[in-house]
Coordinates of all heavy atoms in Angstrom, one line a residue:
M195 N -5.6 -13.4 19.0 CA -5.0 -14.6 19.2 C -3.6 -14.4 19.6 O -3.0 -13.3 19.5 CB -5.1 -15.6 17.8 CG -4.5 -14.9 16.6 SD -4.5 -16.1 15.2 CE -3.0 -17.0 15.5
I196 N -2.9 -15.6 19.9 CA -1.6 -15.6 20.4 C -0.6 -16.0 19.3 O -0.9 -17.1 18.8 CB -1.4 -16.3 21.7 CG1 -2.2 -15.8 22.9 CG2 0.1 -16.4 22.1 CD1 -1.8 -14.3 23.2
C197 N 0.5 -15.4 19.1 CA 1.4 -15.8 18.0 C 2.1 -17.0 18.4 O 2.6 -17.3 19.4 CB 2.5 -14.8 17.8 SG 3.6 -15.2 16.6
E198 N 2.2 -18.1 17.4 CA 2.7 -19.4 17.6 C 4.2 -19.3 17.8 O 4.9 -20.2 18.3 CB 2.4 -20.2 16.4 CG 1.0 -20.8 16.4 CD 0.8 -21.5 15.0 OE1 1.7 -22.0 14.4 OE2 -0.4 -21.6 14.7
F199 N 4.8 -18.2 17.2 CA 6.3 -18.2 17.1 C 6.9 -17.5 18.4 O 7.8 -18.0 19.0 CB 6.8 -17.4 15.9 CG 6.5 -18.1 14.6 CD1 5.4 -18.1 13.9 CD2 7.4 -19.2 14.3 CE1 5.2 -18.8 12.8 CE2 7.2 -19.9 13.1 CZ 6.0 -19.7 12.4
C200 N 6.3 -16.4 18.9 CA 6.9 -15.7 19.9 C 6.0 -15.5 21.0 O 6.3 -14.8 22.0 CB 7.4 -14.2 19.4 SG 6.0 -13.1 19.0
G201 N 4.8 -15.8 21.0 CA 3.8 -15.7 22.1 C 3.2 -14.3 22.2 O 2.6 -13.9 23.3
G202 N 3.5 -13.4 21.3 CA 3.0 -12.1 21.3 C 1.5 -12.0 20.9 O 1.0 -13.0 20.5
K203 N 0.9 -10.9 21.1 CA -0.5 -10.7 20.8 C -0.6 -10.2 19.4 O 0.1 -9.5 18.8 CB -1.1 -9.6 21.7 CG -1.6 -10.2 23.0 CD -2.6 -9.2 23.7 CE -3.2 -9.8 24.8 NZ -3.9 -8.7 25.7
T204 N -1.7 -10.8 18.7 CA -2.0 -10.3 17.3 C -3.1 -9.4 17.3 O -4.0 -9.4 18.3 CB -2.3 -11.5 16.4 OG1 -3.5 -12.1 16.9 CG2 -1.2 -12.5 16.5
T205 N -3.2 -8.5 16.3 CA -4.3 -7.7 16.0 C -4.9 -7.9 14.6 O -4.0 -8.2 13.7 CB -4.0 -6.3 16.2 OG1 -2.9 -5.9 15.5 CG2 -3.8 -5.9 17.7
K206 N -6.1 -7.7 14.4 CA -6.7 -7.7 13.1 C -6.3 -6.6 12.3 O -6.4 -5.4 12.7 CB -8.3 -7.7 13.3 CG -9.0 -8.6 12.3 CD -10.4 -8.9 12.6 CE -10.5 -10.2 13.2 NZ -11.8 -10.7 13.5
K207 N -5.8 -6.9 11.1 CA -5.4 -5.8 10.2 C -5.6 -6.1 8.7 O -5.8 -7.3 8.4 CB -3.9 -5.7 10.3 CG -3.3 -4.6 11.2 CD -1.9 -4.4 11.1 CE -1.3 -3.5 12.1 NZ 0.2 -3.5 12.1
K208 N -5.7 -5.1 7.9 CA -5.9 -5.4 6.4 C -4.5 -5.4 5.8 O -3.8 -4.4 6.1 CB -6.8 -4.3 5.7 CG -8.1 -4.3 6.3 CD -9.0 -5.5 5.7 CE -10.3 -5.4 6.2 NZ -11.4 -5.7 5.2
V209 N -4.1 -6.4 5.1 CA -2.7 -6.5 4.5 C -2.7 -6.7 3.1 O -3.7 -7.2 2.5 CB -1.9 -7.6 5.4 CG1 -1.9 -7.2 6.9 CG2 -2.4 -9.0 5.1
K210 N -1.5 -6.8 2.5 CA -1.3 -7.2 1.2 C -0.8 -8.6 1.2 O 0.2 -8.9 1.9 CB -0.3 -6.2 0.4 CG -0.6 -5.9 -0.8 CD 0.4 -4.9 -1.4 CE -0.3 -3.7 -1.9 NZ 0.6 -2.8 -2.5
R211 N -1.3 -9.5 0.4 CA -0.9 -10.9 0.5 C -0.4 -11.4 -0.8 O -0.9 -11.1 -1.8 CB -1.9 -11.8 1.0 CG -1.7 -13.3 1.0 CD -2.9 -14.2 1.4 NE -2.7 -15.4 1.0 CZ -1.9 -16.4 1.6 NH1 -1.3 -16.0 2.7 NH2 -1.8 -17.5 1.1
Q212 N 0.8 -12.1 -0.8 CA 1.3 -12.8 -2.0 C 0.5 -14.2 -2.1 O 0.6 -14.9 -1.1 CB 2.8 -13.1 -2.0 CG 3.5 -11.8 -1.9 CD 4.9 -12.1 -1.4 OE1 5.7 -13.0 -1.9 NE2 5.5 -11.2 -0.6
H213 N -0.2 -14.4 -3.1 CA -1.1 -15.6 -3.1 C -0.9 -16.4 -4.5 O -1.1 -15.9 -5.5 CB -2.5 -15.0 -3.0 CG -3.5 -16.2 -2.9 ND1 -3.9 -16.6 -1.5 CD2 -4.3 -16.9 -3.7 CE1 -4.8 -17.6 -1.6 NE2 -5.1 -17.7 -2.8
W214 N -0.5 -17.6 -4.2 CA -0.3 -18.5 -5.4 C -1.5 -19.3 -5.7 O -2.1 -19.8 -4.8 CB 0.9 -19.5 -5.2 CG 2.2 -18.9 -5.1 CD1 2.9 -18.4 -4.2 CD2 3.0 -18.7 -6.3 NE1 4.1 -18.0 -4.5 CE2 4.3 -18.1 -6.0 CE3 2.9 -19.0 -7.7 CZ2 5.2 -17.9 -6.8 CZ3 3.9 -18.7 -8.5 CH2 5.1 -18.1 -8.1
L215 N -1.8 -19.4 -6.9 CA -3.0 -20.1 -7.3 C -2.8 -20.7 -8.7 O -2.6 -19.9 -9.7 CB -4.4 -19.3 -7.3 CG -5.6 -19.9 -7.6 CD1 -5.9 -21.1 -6.6 CD2 -6.7 -19.0 -7.8
K216 N -2.8 -22.1 -8.8 CA -2.7 -22.7 -10.2 C -1.3 -22.2 -10.8 O -1.5 -21.9 -12.1 CB -4.0 -22.5 -11.0 CG -5.1 -23.1 -10.4 CD -6.3 -23.0 -11.4 CE -7.5 -23.7 -10.7 NZ -8.2 -24.5 -11.7
G217 N -0.3 -22.1 -10.1 CA 1.0 -21.7 -10.7 C 1.2 -20.3 -11.1 O 2.2 -19.9 -11.5
K218 N 0.2 -19.5 -10.6 CA 0.3 -18.0 -10.8 C 0.5 -17.3 -9.6 O -0.3 -17.7 -8.6 CB -1.0 -17.5 -11.7 CG -0.7 -17.5 -13.1 CD -1.9 -16.9 -13.9 CE -1.9 -15.4 -13.9 NZ -3.0 -14.9 -14.7
L219 N 1.2 -16.2 -9.5 CA 1.4 -15.4 -8.3 C 0.5 -14.1 -8.4 O 0.5 -13.4 -9.3 CB 2.8 -15.0 -8.0 CG 3.0 -14.1 -6.8 CD1 2.7 -14.8 -5.5 CD2 4.5 -13.8 -6.8
Y220 N -0.3 -13.9 -7.4 CA -1.1 -12.8 -7.3 C -0.7 -11.9 -6.1 O -0.4 -12.5 -5.1 CB -2.5 -13.1 -7.1 CG -3.1 -13.9 -8.2 CD1 -3.0 -15.3 -8.3 CD2 -3.9 -13.3 -9.3 CE1 -3.5 -16.0 -9.4 CE2 -4.4 -14.1 -10.4 CZ -4.2 -15.4 -10.3 OH -4.6 -16.1 -11.4
I221 N -0.8 -10.6 -6.2 CA -0.7 -9.7 -5.0 C -2.1 -9.2 -4.7 O -2.7 -8.5 -5.5 CB 0.3 -8.6 -5.3 CG1 1.5 -8.9 -5.8 CG2 0.4 -7.8 -4.0 CD1 2.4 -9.7 -5.0
V222 N -2.6 -9.6 -3.5 CA -4.1 -9.4 -3.2 C -4.0 -8.3 -2.1 O -3.5 -8.6 -1.0 CB -4.8 -10.6 -2.8 CG1 -6.2 -10.3 -2.6 CG2 -4.6 -11.7 -3.9
G223 N -4.6 -7.1 -2.3 CA -4.7 -6.1 -1.3 C -6.0 -6.3 -0.4 O -6.8 -7.0 -0.8
N224 N -6.0 -5.5 0.8 CA -7.1 -5.4 1.5 C -7.7 -6.8 2.1 O -8.8 -7.1 2.1 CB -8.3 -4.8 0.7 CG -9.3 -4.0 1.6 OD1 -9.0 -3.6 2.6 ND2 -10.6 -4.1 1.2
V225 N -6.6 -7.6 2.4 CA -7.0 -9.0 3.0 C -6.8 -8.9 4.4 O -5.9 -8.4 5.1 CB -5.9 -10.0 2.5 CG1 -6.2 -11.3 3.1 CG2 -5.9 -10.1 0.9
E226 N -7.9 -9.4 5.2 CA -7.9 -9.4 6.6 C -7.0 -10.5 7.1 O -7.0 -11.6 6.8 CB -9.3 -9.7 7.1 CG -9.5 -9.4 8.6 CD -10.9 -9.6 8.9 OE1 -11.7 -8.7 8.7 OE2 -11.3 -10.6 9.7
A227 N -6.1 -10.1 8.1 CA -5.2 -11.0 8.8 C -5.1 -10.7 10.2 O -5.4 -9.6 10.7 CB -3.9 -11.0 8.1
E228 N -4.6 -11.6 11.0 CA -4.1 -11.4 12.4 C -2.6 -11.2 12.3 O -1.9 -12.1 11.8 CB -4.5 -12.6 13.3 CG -5.9 -12.9 13.5 CD -6.6 -12.0 14.5 OE1 -5.8 -11.4 15.2 OE2 -7.8 -11.8 14.4
V229 N -2.2 -10.1 12.7 CA -0.7 -9.8 12.6 C -0.2 -9.6 14.0 O -0.6 -8.9 14.9 CB -0.6 -8.4 11.8 CG1 0.9 -8.1 11.6 CG2 -1.2 -8.5 10.5
C230 N 1.0 -10.3 14.3 CA 1.6 -10.2 15.5 C 2.3 -8.9 15.7 O 3.0 -8.5 14.9 CB 2.7 -11.3 15.7 SG 3.6 -11.3 17.2
K231 N 2.1 -8.4 16.9 CA 2.6 -7.1 17.3 C 4.1 -7.1 17.4 O 4.8 -6.1 17.4 CB 1.9 -6.4 18.5 CG 0.6 -5.8 18.3 CD 0.1 -5.2 19.6 CE -1.3 -4.8 19.4 NZ -1.9 -4.4 20.8
E232 N 4.6 -8.3 17.8 CA 5.9 -8.4 18.3 C 6.9 -8.8 17.1 O 7.8 -8.1 16.8 CB 6.1 -9.5 19.4 CG 5.3 -9.3 20.6 CD 5.7 -8.0 21.2 OE1 6.9 -7.6 21.3 OE2 4.7 -7.4 21.8
C233 N 6.5 -9.8 16.3 CA 7.4 -10.3 15.3 C 6.9 -10.0 13.9 O 7.5 -10.4 13.0 CB 7.7 -11.8 15.5 SG 6.4 -12.9 15.1
G234 N 5.6 -9.7 13.8 CA 5.0 -9.4 12.4 C 4.5 -10.5 11.6 O 4.1 -10.4 10.6
E235 N 4.5 -11.8 12.3 CA 4.1 -12.9 11.7 C 2.5 -12.7 11.3 O 1.8 -12.0 12.1 CB 4.1 -14.1 12.5 CG 3.6 -15.5 12.0 CD 4.5 -16.0 10.8 OE1 5.6 -15.5 10.7 OE2 3.9 -16.7 10.1
R236 N 2.1 -13.2 10.2 CA 0.7 -13.0 9.8 C 0.0 -14.3 9.8 O 0.4 -15.2 9.2 CB 0.7 -12.2 8.4 CG 1.5 -11.0 8.5 CD 1.4 -10.1 7.3 NE 1.5 -10.9 5.9 CZ 1.3 -10.3 4.7 NH1 1.0 -9.0 4.8 NH2 1.5 -11.0 3.8
Y237 N -1.3 -14.2 10.2 CA -2.1 -15.5 10.2 C -3.4 -15.2 9.4 O -4.2 -14.1 9.6 CB -2.5 -15.9 11.7 CG -1.3 -16.1 12.5 CD1 -0.6 -15.2 13.2 CD2 -0.8 -17.5 12.5 CE1 0.6 -15.5 14.0 CE2 0.3 -17.8 13.3 CZ 1.0 -16.8 13.9 OH 2.1 -17.2 14.7
F238 N -3.7 -16.1 8.5 CA -5.0 -15.9 7.7 C -5.9 -17.1 8.1 O -5.5 -18.2 8.1 CB -4.6 -16.0 6.3 CG -3.7 -14.8 5.7 CD1 -2.3 -15.0 5.8 CD2 -4.1 -13.6 5.3 CE1 -1.5 -14.0 5.4 CE2 -3.4 -12.5 5.0 CZ -2.0 -12.8 5.0
H239 N -7.2 -16.6 8.1 CA -8.2 -17.8 8.3 C -8.5 -18.6 7.0 O -8.2 -17.8 5.9 CB -9.5 -17.1 8.6 CG -9.6 -16.7 10.1 ND1 -9.8 -17.6 11.2 CD2 -9.6 -15.4 10.7 CE1 -9.7 -16.8 12.3 NE2 -9.6 -15.6 12.0
A240 N -8.6 -19.8 7.2 CA -8.9 -20.6 6.0 C -10.1 -20.1 5.2 O -10.0 -20.1 3.9 CB -9.2 -22.1 6.4
T241 N -11.0 -19.5 5.7 CA -12.2 -19.0 5.0 C -11.7 -17.8 4.2 O -12.2 -17.5 3.1 CB -13.3 -18.6 6.0 OG1 -12.8 -17.7 7.0 CG2 -14.0 -19.7 6.6
T242 N -10.8 -17.0 4.7 CA -10.2 -15.9 4.0 C -9.5 -16.4 2.7 O -9.6 -15.8 1.6 CB -9.2 -15.0 4.8 OG1 -10.0 -14.5 6.1 CG2 -8.8 -13.7 4.2
L243 N -8.6 -17.3 2.9 CA -7.8 -17.9 1.7 C -8.9 -18.6 0.7 O -8.5 -18.3 -0.5 CB -6.9 -18.9 2.3 CG -5.9 -18.5 3.4 CD1 -5.0 -19.5 3.8 CD2 -5.1 -17.3 2.7
D244 N -9.9 -19.2 1.1 CA -10.9 -19.8 0.2 C -11.5 -18.5 -0.5 O -11.9 -18.7 -1.8 CB -12.0 -20.6 0.9 CG -11.4 -21.8 1.4 OD1 -10.3 -22.3 1.0 OD2 -12.0 -22.5 2.3
A245 N -11.9 -17.5 0.2 CA -12.5 -16.4 -0.5 C -11.6 -15.8 -1.5 O -12.1 -15.3 -2.6 CB -12.9 -15.3 0.5
I246 N -10.3 -15.7 -1.3 CA -9.3 -15.2 -2.3 C -9.3 -16.1 -3.5 O -9.4 -15.6 -4.7 CB -7.9 -15.1 -1.7 CG1 -7.9 -14.0 -0.7 CG2 -6.9 -14.7 -2.8 CD1 -6.4 -14.0 0.1
D247 N -9.2 -17.4 -3.4 CA -9.2 -18.4 -4.5 C -10.5 -18.1 -5.3 O -10.4 -18.1 -6.4 CB -9.3 -19.9 -3.8 CG -7.9 -20.3 -3.3 OD1 -7.0 -19.6 -3.6 OD2 -7.9 -21.4 -2.9
R248 N -11.6 -18.1 -4.6 CA -12.9 -17.8 -5.4 C -12.9 -16.6 -6.1 O -13.3 -16.6 -7.3 CB -14.2 -17.9 -4.3 CG -14.6 -19.3 -4.0 CD -16.0 -19.3 -3.6 NE -16.2 -18.4 -2.4 CZ -15.8 -18.6 -1.1 NH1 -15.3 -19.8 -0.8 NH2 -16.0 -17.7 -0.2
Y249 N -12.4 -15.6 -5.5 CA -12.4 -14.2 -6.2 C -11.5 -14.3 -7.4 O -11.8 -13.9 -8.5 CB -11.9 -13.1 -5.2 CG -11.9 -11.9 -5.9 CD1 -13.1 -11.2 -6.1 CD2 -10.7 -11.1 -6.1 CE1 -13.1 -9.9 -6.6 CE2 -10.5 -9.9 -6.6 CZ -11.9 -9.2 -6.9 OH -11.9 -8.0 -7.4
L250 N -10.3 -15.0 -7.2 CA -9.4 -14.9 -8.4 C -9.9 -15.9 -9.5 O -9.5 -15.7 -10.7 CB -8.0 -15.4 -7.9 CG -7.3 -14.4 -6.9 CD1 -6.0 -15.1 -6.5 CD2 -7.0 -13.1 -7.7
L251 N -10.7 -16.9 -9.1 CA -11.2 -17.8 -10.2 C -12.4 -17.3 -11.0 O -12.8 -17.8 -12.0 CB -11.5 -19.2 -9.6 CG -10.3 -20.0 -9.1 CD1 -10.8 -21.1 -8.2 CD2 -9.4 -20.4 -10.2
T252 N -13.0 -16.3 -10.5 CA -14.2 -15.7 -11.2 C -13.6 -14.2 -11.8 O -12.5 -13.9 -11.6 CB -15.2 -15.3 -10.3 OG1 -14.8 -14.4 -9.1 CG2 -15.9 -16.6 -9.7
E253 N -14.4 -13.6 -12.6 CA -14.1 -12.4 -13.2 C -13.6 -11.3 -12.1 O -14.5 -11.1 -11.2 CB -15.4 -11.9 -14.0 CG -15.1 -10.8 -15.0 CD -14.3 -11.2 -16.2 OE1 -14.5 -12.5 -16.6 OE2 -13.7 -10.5 -16.7
H254 N -12.5 -10.7 -12.3 CA -12.2 -9.7 -11.3 C -11.4 -8.6 -11.9 O -10.8 -8.7 -13.0 CB -11.4 -10.4 -10.2 CG -10.3 -11.1 -10.7 ND1 -10.1 -12.4 -11.0 CD2 -8.9 -10.7 -10.9 CE1 -9.0 -12.8 -11.4 NE2 -8.1 -11.7 -11.4
A255 N -11.5 -7.5 -11.2 CA -10.7 -6.4 -11.8 C -9.2 -6.5 -11.4 O -8.8 -6.8 -10.4 CB -11.2 -5.0 -11.1
V256 N -8.3 -6.0 -12.4 CA -6.9 -6.1 -12.2 C -6.4 -4.7 -12.1 O -6.6 -3.8 -12.9 CB -6.1 -6.8 -13.3 CG1 -4.6 -6.8 -13.1 CG2 -6.6 -8.3 -13.5
K257 N -5.8 -4.3 -10.9 CA -5.4 -3.0 -10.6 C -4.1 -2.5 -11.1 O -3.8 -1.4 -11.6 CB -5.4 -2.6 -9.0 CG -6.8 -2.9 -8.5 CD -6.8 -2.7 -7.0 CE -6.8 -1.2 -6.7 NZ -7.0 -0.8 -5.3
D258 N -3.2 -3.6 -11.3 CA -1.9 -3.3 -11.7 C -1.1 -4.5 -12.1 O -1.5 -5.6 -11.7 CB -1.0 -2.6 -10.5 CG 0.1 -1.7 -11.0 OD1 0.4 -1.7 -12.2 OD2 0.9 -1.2 -10.2
Y259 N 0.0 -4.5 -12.8 CA 0.9 -5.6 -13.1 C 2.3 -5.3 -12.7 O 2.8 -4.2 -12.6 CB 0.9 -5.8 -14.6 CG -0.3 -6.4 -15.2 CD1 -1.4 -5.6 -15.8 CD2 -0.6 -7.7 -15.2 CE1 -2.5 -6.1 -16.2 CE2 -1.9 -8.2 -15.7 CZ -2.7 -7.4 -16.2 OH -4.0 -7.9 -16.6
L260 N 3.0 -6.4 -12.1 CA 4.3 -6.3 -11.7 C 5.2 -7.1 -12.4 O 4.9 -8.2 -12.8 CB 4.5 -6.6 -10.3 CG 3.7 -5.9 -9.0 CD1 4.0 -6.5 -7.8 CD2 4.2 -4.5 -9.1
N261 N 6.5 -6.5 -12.7 CA 7.5 -7.4 -13.3 C 8.3 -8.0 -12.1 O 8.7 -7.2 -11.2 CB 8.5 -6.6 -14.1 CG 8.0 -6.5 -15.4 OD1 7.5 -7.5 -16.1 ND2 8.0 -5.2 -16.0
V262 N 8.5 -9.3 -12.0 CA 9.2 -9.9 -10.8 C 10.5 -10.6 -11.3 O 10.6 -11.3 -12.3 CB 8.3 -10.9 -10.2 CG1 9.0 -11.6 -9.0 CG2 7.0 -10.3 -9.7
E263 N 11.6 -10.1 -10.6 CA 13.0 -10.9 -10.9 C 12.9 -12.2 -10.2 O 12.6 -12.3 -9.0 CB 14.0 -10.0 -10.5 CG 14.3 -8.8 -11.3 CD 15.5 -8.0 -11.0 OE1 16.3 -8.6 -10.2 OE2 15.7 -6.9 -11.5
V264 N 13.2 -13.3 -10.9 CA 13.5 -14.5 -10.3 C 14.9 -14.8 -10.2 O 15.6 -14.9 -11.3 CB 12.8 -15.7 -11.0 CG1 12.9 -17.0 -10.4 CG2 11.2 -15.4 -11.1
V265 N 15.6 -15.0 -9.1 CA 17.0 -15.2 -8.9 C 17.3 -16.3 -8.1 O 16.3 -17.0 -7.4 CB 17.6 -13.9 -8.3 CG1 17.3 -12.7 -9.2 CG2 17.2 -13.8 -7.0
S266 N 18.6 -16.7 -8.0 CA 19.1 -17.8 -7.1 C 20.3 -17.4 -6.4 O 21.1 -16.8 -7.1 CB 19.2 -19.1 -8.1 OG 20.0 -19.9 -7.5
L267 N 20.4 -17.7 -5.2 CA 21.6 -17.4 -4.5 C 22.8 -18.5 -4.8 O 22.6 -19.6 -4.3 CB 21.3 -17.4 -2.9 CG 21.0 -16.0 -2.4 CD1 20.9 -16.2 -0.9 CD2 22.0 -14.9 -2.8
G268 N 23.7 -18.1 -5.6 CA 24.8 -19.1 -5.8 C 24.4 -20.1 -7.0 O 23.3 -20.2 -7.5
Ligands
ZN289 ZN1 5.0 -13.2 17.0

């Protein structure tokens, strides 16, 4: 597809996505996306996002946990 921001070409790639669901943040690996070669913008299909939701809402393996700093500029 063509990037909405810069008009560059995108290619299909497996990426890591930050995904919010029910107030919780998940880092999901191995997610298929269209990634712009020029600006790096990533596009996810609605079906892919639905699949992530479904996966997280059912029993799933947790590979790791992260501590996240929440800060504010000024
Ligand atoms: Zn772009």
Side-chain angles (χ1 to χ4, degrees):
M195 57 176 279
I196 298 297
C197 178
E198 287 172 18
F199 290 94
C200 73
K203 270 194 176 169
T204 65
T205 49
K206 211 163 262 185
K207 268 190 186 170
K208 298 284 181 140
V209 302
K210 223 177 232 183
R211 173 181 163 78
Q212 299 163 43
H213 190 88
W214 286 94
L215 182 65
K216 298 186 176 224
K218 269 182 84 175
L219 175 63
Y220 299 85
I221 310 291
V222 186
N224 207 30
V225 179
E226 193 175 287
E228 293 282 341
V229 181
C230 176
K231 281 183 186 170
E232 304 300 326
C233 73
E235 182 68 21
R236 309 188 310 174
Y237 298 89
F238 298 91
H239 283 286
T241 50
T242 303
L243 300 178
D244 287 347
I246 295 174
D247 283 353
R248 276 201 307 278
Y249 182 68
L250 293 174
L251 289 170
T252 54
E253 195 72 28
H254 56 268
V256 178
K257 299 179 79 167
D258 202 2
Y259 288 92
L260 295 179
N261 277 316
V262 180
E263 289 190 8
V264 179
V265 301
S266 160
L267 269 188

